[in-house]
Amino acid sequence: MARPQTDHDEMREQLLDCAEQIIRERGPVAPTVTEIAAKCGMSQSNVYRFFPNKDALFEASVERWFAPFNDIMDEVVESDLEPREKLFQFFARRAALKAARYEEDPDYFQSCMTLGEEYSDVVMGYIDLADHYMAIILGEAISAGYFAGMTIDQLVSPVNLMLQPYCDPELTMRYPTATEKNLRIIVDTIFDGLRGDREVQKSEPLRLAS
Amino acid sequence: MARPQTDHDEMREQLLDCAEQIIRERGPVAPTVTEIAAKCGMSQSNVYRFFPNKDALFEASVERWFAPFNDIMDEVVESDLEPREKLFQFFARRAALKAARYEEDPDYFQSCMTLGEEYSDVVMGYIDLADHYMAIILGEAISAGYFAGMTIDQLVSPVNLMLQPYCDPELTMRYPTATEKNLRIIVDTIFDGLRGDREVQKSEPLRLAS
């Protein structure tokens, strides 16, 4: 995350620190401008100079939460690693950051998850961005000869599903088996086994037990 | 699930129906024997003939919840399908049953999940049983030449991780992309790509973005 460059940026960061502190203290309720002003000892009209309303404040908080994840994705995608290693790093580094954040304050982490579910429209853009970055890696893999017979669009869902325990922050710490070693095995399995040119098998009809 | 064969069994089922009804009405709190007696219009001492305490009642409720899943696993494992198709059916049929139960009453489904988390020692045996059944299928796959260089024990975690959206009932309905078609793709990927005899790749050191 870029450090604040100006007084204006620095004040903005301080207000976001206040917002974070309020959530840490009382749980998953988005702070209002009034609350931030009180917490920072600043007039409400002064806070409005930085955040015109509660939504703008909340969106900036979400942006700050995601910024290091975006930096990781950008760094991995821009690197000259080969596609298999890129996909591994893409998930491993973000999973490690999620785990570190969870460990630092599990309740605050859970509050962020709850707020994220509540304001899913704000969060959705960041999820789409992650899919976009992943699609670049998958495209490079296709160019390198992997995933025969499949398009990027066909790949995104199954790859995401196979990696959900490393991807969905709600699942952080839910699966103790979601280790880096198993991530390596899963990424290798995807690169060696996922293809669209095998003969289609006919599914047995689903019969539910009585 | 076997139908009750005797008056005793039938009465037991009625009491479990009462327990289920109480949870449906008030949410995720395990009913007591006193509450069941009142709900069924039966004396408490009479209920004790069937369930000596709240724990016995709760454990029987959990057993009933899992019984159709165990039937599915048993039927699939005992079938003469080939291993790849067995693994597919093993997850597809249970996922379909979970989805049907969720649709029938989402709040009751969520109550069962919450109670399952709270009494995880009661539920653990059923999760272990599912792993046991899956291990049989994976063993048959190894015998058929799949998963070169891997033992059953080494397979269970990565296979479970790749299939979590189909497996963990907490995740039912969380991933709309967890379709039967994508399950087929994932199972094929596992059978064609998961192996333990590839050259070990050295992982890049994890560097977190600043």
Side-chain angles (χ1 to χ4, degrees):
Chain A
M1 182 174 53
R3 284 287 89 199
Q5 298 299 312
T6 65
D7 285 356
H8 184 277
D9 285 352
E10 198 167 322
M11 186 57 75
R12 208 170 172 277
E13 288 298 310
Q14 277 182 29
L15 290 167
L16 293 176
D17 286 343
C18 278
E20 184 178 317
Q21 197 54 43
I22 290 172
I23 295 171
R24 282 185 192 271
E25 285 165 13
R26 77 162 171 199
V29 181
T32 63
V33 169
T34 311
E35 288 166 332
I36 299 293
K39 183 88 179 172
C40 286
M42 198 186 275
S43 74
Q44 209 163 319
S45 58
N46 204 2
V47 178
Y48 282 132
R49 287 174 48 218
F50 300 91
F51 301 106
N53 52 49
K54 182 183 163 183
D55 285 351
L57 178 68
F58 184 74
E59 281 161 25
S61 297
V62 173
E63 187 184 349
R64 194 164 78 150
W65 202 88
F66 276 101
F69 292 103
N70 294 347
D71 289 347
I72 290 172
M73 295 194 291
D74 200 53
E75 192 183 329
V76 171
V77 168
E78 290 297 317
S79 75
D80 54 6
L81 295 169
E82 63 108 22
R84 184 188 297 242
E85 187 61 27
K86 272 193 186 179
L87 196 71
F88 173 77
Q89 296 287 339
F90 186 76
F91 284 94
R93 292 190 194 178
R94 289 181 302 149
L97 177 56
K98 278 169 216 159
R101 285 191 172 183
Y102 177 88
E103 295 291 351
E104 185 260 326
D105 186 343
D107 290 340
Y108 174 62
F109 189 90
Q110 190 49 56
S111 290
C112 292
M113 295 303 104
T114 304
L115 283 168
E117 296 263 312
E118 191 177 345
Y119 299 87
S120 58
D121 51 325
V122 179
V123 173
M124 199 51 68
Y126 294 94
I127 294 173
D128 287 347
L129 182 62
D131 279 348
H132 167 75
Y133 274 121
M134 190 174 77
I136 295 173
I137 299 175
L138 296 175
E140 290 176 8
I142 290 173
S143 299
Y146 293 103
F147 312 133
M150 295 189 82
T151 64
I152 294 173
D153 281 352
Q154 290 168 332
L155 284 168
V156 169
S157 290
V159 170
N160 264 331
L161 286 169
M162 283 183 268
L163 289 162
Q164 273 311 314
Y166 295 89
C167 177
D168 186 339
E170 286 269 6
L171 308 188
T172 306
M173 312 316 288
R174 185 168 172 81
Y175 302 109
T177 57
T179 60
E180 200 178 303
K181 189 179 165 201
N182 277 330
L183 176 60
R184 173 70 72 191
I185 292 171
I186 293 168
V187 168
D188 279 339
T189 300
I190 290 170
F191 271 80
D192 293 342
L194 182 51
R195 50 196 306 135
D197 58 354
R198 67 168 67 76
E199 201 182 324
V200 175
Q201 297 190 346
K202 197 166 166 298
S203 174
E204 300 280 309
L206 279 186
R207 288 164 300 158
L208 297 183
S210 59
Chain B
M1 182 175 52
R3 284 286 91 197
Q5 297 299 312
T6 65
D7 284 357
H8 184 276
D9 285 353
E10 198 166 321
M11 185 59 73
R12 208 169 171 276
E13 287 299 310
Q14 277 182 29
L15 290 167
L16 293 175
D17 285 344
C18 278
E20 184 178 317
Q21 197 53 43
I22 290 171
I23 296 170
R24 282 184 192 270
E25 284 165 14
R26 77 162 170 201
V29 182
T32 64
V33 169
T34 311
E35 287 167 333
I36 299 293
K39 183 89 179 171
C40 286
M42 197 186 276
S43 75
Q44 210 163 316
S45 58
N46 204 5
V47 177
Y48 282 132
R49 288 173 49 217
F50 299 92
F51 301 107
N53 52 51
K54 181 183 164 184
D55 285 351
L57 177 70
F58 184 74
E59 283 162 23
S61 298
V62 173
E63 187 184 349
R64 194 163 79 151
W65 203 87
F66 276 102
F69 293 104
N70 293 348
D71 289 347
I72 289 172
M73 295 194 290
D74 200 54
E75 191 184 329
V76 170
V77 168
E78 291 296 318
S79 74
D80 54 5
L81 296 169
E82 63 107 23
R84 184 189 297 240
E85 187 62 27
K86 272 193 186 179
L87 195 73
F88 174 76
Q89 296 288 338
F90 187 76
F91 284 94
R93 292 190 195 178
R94 288 181 304 150
L97 177 57
K98 278 169 218 160
R101 285 191 173 183
Y102 177 88
E103 296 291 352
E104 184 261 328
D105 186 343
D107 290 339
Y108 174 63
F109 189 90
Q110 190 50 56
S111 290
C112 292
M113 295 303 104
T114 304
L115 284 168
E117 295 263 312
E118 192 177 342
Y119 298 87
S120 58
D121 51 326
V122 179
V123 173
M124 201 49 70
Y126 295 94
I127 295 172
D128 287 346
L129 182 64
D131 280 348
H132 166 75
Y133 274 122
M134 189 174 78
I136 295 174
I137 300 175
L138 296 175
E140 290 176 7
I142 289 174
S143 298
Y146 294 103
F147 312 133
M150 295 190 83
T151 65
I152 294 174
D153 281 354
Q154 290 170 332
L155 284 168
V156 169
S157 290
V159 170
N160 264 333
L161 285 168
M162 282 183 269
L163 289 162
Q164 273 311 314
Y166 295 90
C167 178
D168 186 340
E170 287 268 6
L171 309 187
T172 306
M173 313 314 288
R174 185 167 172 82
Y175 303 109
T177 58
T179 59
E180 200 177 305
K181 189 178 166 200
N182 278 330
L183 175 60
R184 173 71 71 190
I185 293 171
I186 293 167
V187 169
D188 279 339
T189 301
I190 290 170
F191 271 80
D192 293 342
L194 182 50
R195 50 197 306 136
D197 58 355
R198 67 168 68 74
E199 203 182 324
V200 175
Q201 296 191 348
K202 199 168 166 297
S203 174
E204 300 280 310
L206 280 186
R207 288 165 300 157
L208 299 181
S210 59

